[in-house]
Amino acid sequence: WTLAVTQFDHPTKNWIAKSDTMGRTNACKAQQKRERAAKDAKSGAGSQLEVNQKALTIKCNVCMQPFLCTTSAKSLKDHSDNKHPTRPFTDCFPGTAAP
């Protein structure tokens, strides 16, 4: 404990001492940490699953395999060559230009 002298009560009596660390217990710190964590959890965006599902905008017309909207034409071509070798690329992805 660190003590700080706050007042001199009377010349014949003792000093009145006050602790500098009152109210700063480990339980108090833990509670503050829990409150900060709860506040951060509320403000977070949450799960990324909904955003990922919305980004699956390209679908193979043969097998209905979804692809992200940022998928390159080369990756789409690889899919059609590997999964559907007997069908042309335009059957799988009619709106996409072949690489």
Side-chain angles (χ1 to χ4, degrees):
W1 285 45
T2 58
L3 298 178
V5 177
T6 58
Q7 290 181 331
F8 186 71
D9 190 20
H10 190 270
T12 59
K13 298 190 180 196
N14 294 334
W15 292 88
I16 298 172
K18 180 180 176 184
S19 172
D20 288 336
T21 59
M22 284 184 74
R24 303 291 270 163
T25 63
N26 287 337
C28 181
K29 290 179 187 177
Q31 180 63 29
Q32 289 174 349
K33 186 176 180 181
R34 281 191 294 272
E35 289 171 359
R36 275 194 303 266
K39 179 181 164 189
D40 291 343
K42 288 179 186 175
S43 65
S47 178
Q48 188 71 24
L49 294 175
E50 291 179 25
V51 175
N52 290 347
Q53 287 299 321
K54 290 178 184 176
L56 295 173
T57 57
I58 301 172
K59 277 192 178 180
C60 174
N61 285 350
V62 177
C63 65
M64 299 309 226
Q65 170 71 38
F67 294 92
L68 287 174
C69 60
T70 58
T71 303
S72 67
K74 182 184 179 306
S75 296
L76 298 176
K77 177 74 171 149
D78 289 343
H79 169 80
S80 71
D81 291 344
N82 294 328
K83 298 287 184 178
H84 317 291
T86 59
R87 296 186 179 222
F89 178 78
T90 55
D91 283 354
C92 294
F93 306 102
T96 307

